[in-house]
Each structure stands twice: as C-alpha cells, then as structure tokens.
Amino acid sequence: MFCIAASLKTWKLRKPYIESWWEPNVTRGYVFFEEPPGEEFLPWPAKSPEFRVHEDVTKLDVFTRFNNPIQLRILRSVVETFKEADKDVKWFVMTDDDTVMVVENLLEVLAKYDYRKSYYIGMNSESVKSNVDFTFEMGFGGAGYALTYPLMEAIAEHLEGCLLRYTHLVSSDYIVSACVADLGIDPTFEKGFHQVDLHGDISGLLSAHPNAPFVSIHHMDTTEPIFPSKNRTESIHQLLRAAKLDRTRVLQQTICHHRPSHWSFSISWGYSLQIYESVFPRWLLKRPLETFLPWLPIAKPPFYMFNTRWPFDNPCEAPHAFFAESIKRIHNTEGEDEIVTTYVRKSPRNLQPCPLDGHQSAEPITKVQVFSPTTRNMEISDIGPA
C-alpha cells in the first residue's frame, strides 16, 4: 500500500510522473495533500491515486515544537495510511510525487524478505553531503522506502513518543529512521531505489546502473530529461515501455568487446549504448561517467557514494553515445521470440578517431540494434507474497 507525499502547488507538474506507473484497481494507496483539491483539479481522474487530505496538525500539542511543521504533516500521513489499510496489507511504501516506480520490480525485491517480520527496506542517498546532513542509516523518502505491516504497526503505536523525542530533526524520513532504530530495527539497503540527489545530466549514472532490479527514480523535475531528444514526461514513458517488455532487464548494464576493431560496448538495456574506440576492462566501465553535478554546490569532495570516471576529450576514451529510440518484440526466423532495442546516436562526437594502430573509428555508426532473448516476466504469484 502506497503513501505518496504531495502538494497541490506542484501536483499539475508532477501528476504525470505518478500516473505513468500507477495502475487503477491494481496498485492501492493514497496521495496526500495539505488541503482539498479545488475545482481546477476536479473531477478527480480515475488514473490518479485516490487523494486524502492531511489532518490538521496545528491542533497537535507537538506542532509548536517542530522546526519544520510540514514534516509533521507528512509523518502523520504515514499513520493515516496504516489506519485505512486492511489486514491483508503486507508492505507499506512511502514515496514522493516526483518519483517513478517499477512496481513489479519493487514486488520482486520485497519478496526476498519475510513480511511477517519487521523490515525497513530502502536506500540512502548518492550524495555524501545528503547522508552526512541526515544519516547514512536511512532509507531516503524520495527514492521510497518500505515497511512491513508488523513494523508499521509498532511505529503507529509509538509515534507520539517518537515525535516528542525528535522534533529537532528536519525531515520525515529522518524521523522515521530514528523511530525504527529505537524499535531495534536497522535499514536493509537495496540498490534499485534511487534518491537522485544530483543535478544536470544523470545519463552517466543510469548508463552504469548496478546489476540490481531498477525500482525507483526520484527528483525527476530537478534533473535534465533522461532522454536527450524528449521532455521529462516523454522520457519516463520511453523508459517504462522498456520495463513493460522486460522489467527484469531494464537498465541492467552489459559490457562486451569487439576485439578486431578494438571497441568496447556498454549497454544499459532499454536506455543507452556507448561505443568506446578502445578495449577497457569491465571494472572501469562499471563506474558511471560523471555527467552530473553535486546536489549542493557548496559541498566538498568526495561528492558521491560511488567511484566515477571523468568525461575526457581523448578520442580513445570518450564514448560514442546512443539512446533508445524504440523497443519491440519480434518473432525471428528460427521461430523464437526476441526483443529488439534500437539505439540512435545522440549527436556527433566531434573528435578525431582514436589514433592508435588497429583502432577503428565508430563515427560512421548512427544506429545500433540489440537483439535479446525474451525473459519470462514473472507474475506476482511467481515471486511469492508481497
């Protein structure tokens, strides 16, 4: 059951993010607002989650003690979601209205854990500064975090006392992490949740996605569109089309080499493809190209929770960049189903070919097709209770 923190001030802009992955009568939960939607939002569309209005937190005794009362409102929505839940709910997932989720991959990740026990699943930030300012031991709320029913029940029971202890903390997910820690539960980190405390072009990050199911991506309107030829909404739909055809493979990185031409290929399935005019080891290409900027310009290095590579103008090291244009399922001549992803060049590289002996130029290539065997998209029943 989802609890989505939102605001009417930004809902028009962010609604397409939520509607891109929300399935009416399949996904369940609520989007929470600070006040009832006005006429401009009504009638409420069926393709959006049901909305709820937060309780009036100004009447709570603890309200005046909070440094940031907005966070109190978000915290109370967590409890309100629990109160409206049926007993058959196994997991509660908290997230923001500028987050996109692949629900089937979320279910696959959560199915690894026993929902009858207390689990707190999420991921910390990519930004060292964000983790320092809050805590490294936290599932960040933008990326989304999941709580089992027993843990949610315990939080609801002890929330009032927890709020009194942590009025000085500055975010709702930080307070939740403190409350969970007081209950004796540590976070369990899963790499597929992406807070994206970054700015600019995050293609370098997504092109070197870890080999873990892609679950979520946050801060969609504070970064550039992830496909260079599309706007933000179009970009999300393009990525989710790939996830719909093969959610287990989307964004998973494959690295291979064509030694006769001295080329290296790095493929982020359904998203991007890079050709290097040199043979590079896999450990290097698994490091994201630093196409993005730190979340806070005042931060000092190290900026990120992972190693990166600098984008160089050296023609032997700079990749030819291609992005997914289309994806379709075909029936090949051998009678087998395949998925064909077509990647087109982003723009001319504007560099000379790699001058080393035997290294061929990839500049004439404008389009690359990748043929993948179909994998069975597991149904919920295949991956256990969730």
Side-chain angles (χ1 to χ4, degrees), residues 252-270:
Q252 303 304 291
Q253 187 185 23
T254 299
I255 298 166
C256 54
H257 304 97
H258 187 253
R259 295 191 180 276
S261 55
H262 295 277
W263 287 353
S264 299
F265 289 82
S266 175
I267 304 167
S268 176
W269 194 88

Side-chain angles (χ1 to χ4, degrees), residues 203-204 207 264-266 272-278 280 285 289-291 309-323 345-351 362-363:
S203 63
S207 296
S264 299
F265 289 82
S266 175
S272 71
L273 181 146
Q274 298 168 341
I275 303 176
Y276 296 83
E277 293 182 6
S278 295
F280 289 111
L285 297 183
L289 272 173
E290 198 169 320
T291 59
R309 294 178 288 140
W310 282 103
F312 290 114
D313 290 335
N314 184 326
C316 299
E317 298 184 18
H320 297 263
F322 302 75
F323 287 86
R345 184 181 286 275
K346 174 183 177 182
S347 58
R349 196 176 63 151
N350 294 324
L351 294 173
E363 195 64 39

Side-chain angles (χ1 to χ4, degrees), residues 94-109:
M94 269 53 70
T95 191
D96 287 351
D97 58 354
D98 59 341
T99 299
V100 172
M101 291 220 164
V102 179
V103 177
E104 294 84 358
N105 281 350
L106 171 66
L107 291 174
E108 181 180 351
V109 167

Side-chain angles (χ1 to χ4, degrees), residues 25-322:
N25 302 317
V26 177
T27 41
R28 57 177 166 175
Y30 309 107
V31 55
F32 281 85
F33 295 118
E34 67 274 29
E35 58 185 355
E39 291 184 4
E40 60 182 313
F41 298 100
L42 301 176
W44 193 253
K47 59 184 179 180
S48 290
E50 290 185 49
F51 73 83
R52 292 290 186 271
V53 179
H54 293 283
E55 65 176 323
D56 185 1
V57 296
T58 61
K59 297 179 179 180
L60 301 176
D61 293 339
V62 74
F63 176 79
T64 57
R65 304 186 190 183
F66 259 77
N67 292 333
N68 189 351
I70 293 176
Q71 301 306 320
L72 177 59
R73 175 169 64 83
I74 297 174
L75 277 165
R76 297 296 302 184
S77 69
V78 175
V79 176
E80 290 169 48
T81 302
F82 175 75
K83 289 179 179 177
E84 293 210 35
D86 297 325
K87 287 289 185 179
D88 67 336
V89 173
K90 300 177 177 66
W91 293 91
F92 293 86
V93 180
M94 269 53 70
T95 191
D96 287 351
D97 58 354
D98 59 341
T99 299
V100 172
M101 291 220 164
V102 179
V103 177
E104 294 84 358
N105 281 350
L106 171 66
L107 291 174
E108 181 180 351
V109 167
L110 297 183
K112 297 191 299 184
Y113 305 97
D114 188 344
Y115 64 87
R116 295 164 296 187
K117 299 179 181 179
S118 291
Y119 276 105
Y120 168 37
I121 313 291
M123 191 62 198
N124 55 21
S125 173
E126 301 88 352
S127 166
V128 171
K129 184 72 166 62
S130 294
N131 292 322
V132 169
D133 287 348
F134 297 95
T135 172
F136 287 83
E137 295 300 307
M138 178 176 96
F140 274 64
Y145 59 88
L147 305 168
T148 53
Y149 189 100
L151 181 54
M152 190 71 152
E153 189 174 37
I155 291 172
E157 182 181 350
H158 296 94
L159 184 64
E160 300 306 324
C162 186
L163 292 179
L164 288 171
R165 289 195 299 276
Y166 299 118
T167 56
H168 61 288
L169 299 185
V170 294
S171 73
S172 60
D173 44 5
Y174 193 178
I175 296 171
V176 167
S177 73
C179 296
V180 171
D182 288 349
L183 293 169
I185 305 301
D186 293 327
T188 299
F189 292 130
E190 287 284 350
K191 291 183 177 180
F193 292 84
H194 299 288
Q195 174 69 13
V196 193
D197 282 343
L198 306 167
H199 284 296
D201 173 11
I202 62 170
S203 63
L205 178 73
L206 298 182
S207 296
H209 191 276
N211 287 320
F214 167 55
V215 174
S216 69
I217 182 170
H218 179 228
H219 280 146
M220 294 312 304
D221 50 7
T222 59
T223 57
E224 295 176 8
I226 59 176
F227 286 91
S229 62
K230 303 182 185 302
N231 63 32
R232 289 180 173 87
T233 302
E234 291 169 342
S235 293
I236 289 303
H237 285 290
Q238 176 73 25
L239 187 63
L240 292 183
R241 273 193 288 272
K244 186 175 182 180
L245 273 181
D246 194 337
R247 55 142 181 108
T248 63
R249 191 180 271 139
V250 66
L251 288 186
Q252 303 304 291
Q253 187 185 23
T254 299
I255 298 166
C256 54
H257 304 97
H258 187 253
R259 295 191 180 276
S261 55
H262 295 277
W263 287 353
S264 299
F265 289 82
S266 175
I267 304 167
S268 176
W269 194 88
Y271 176 62
S272 71
L273 181 146
Q274 298 168 341
I275 303 176
Y276 296 83
E277 293 182 6
S278 295
V279 174
F280 289 111
R282 286 178 172 83
W283 70 265
L284 181 65
L285 297 183
K286 287 175 70 69
R287 293 184 174 187
L289 272 173
E290 198 169 320
T291 59
F292 38 82
L293 299 171
W295 182 243
L296 295 175
I298 61 171
K300 297 179 180 180
F303 298 122
Y304 313 115
M305 295 289 293
F306 44 83
N307 298 116
T308 63
R309 294 178 288 140
W310 282 103
F312 290 114
D313 290 335
N314 184 326
C316 299
E317 298 184 18
H320 297 263
F322 302 75

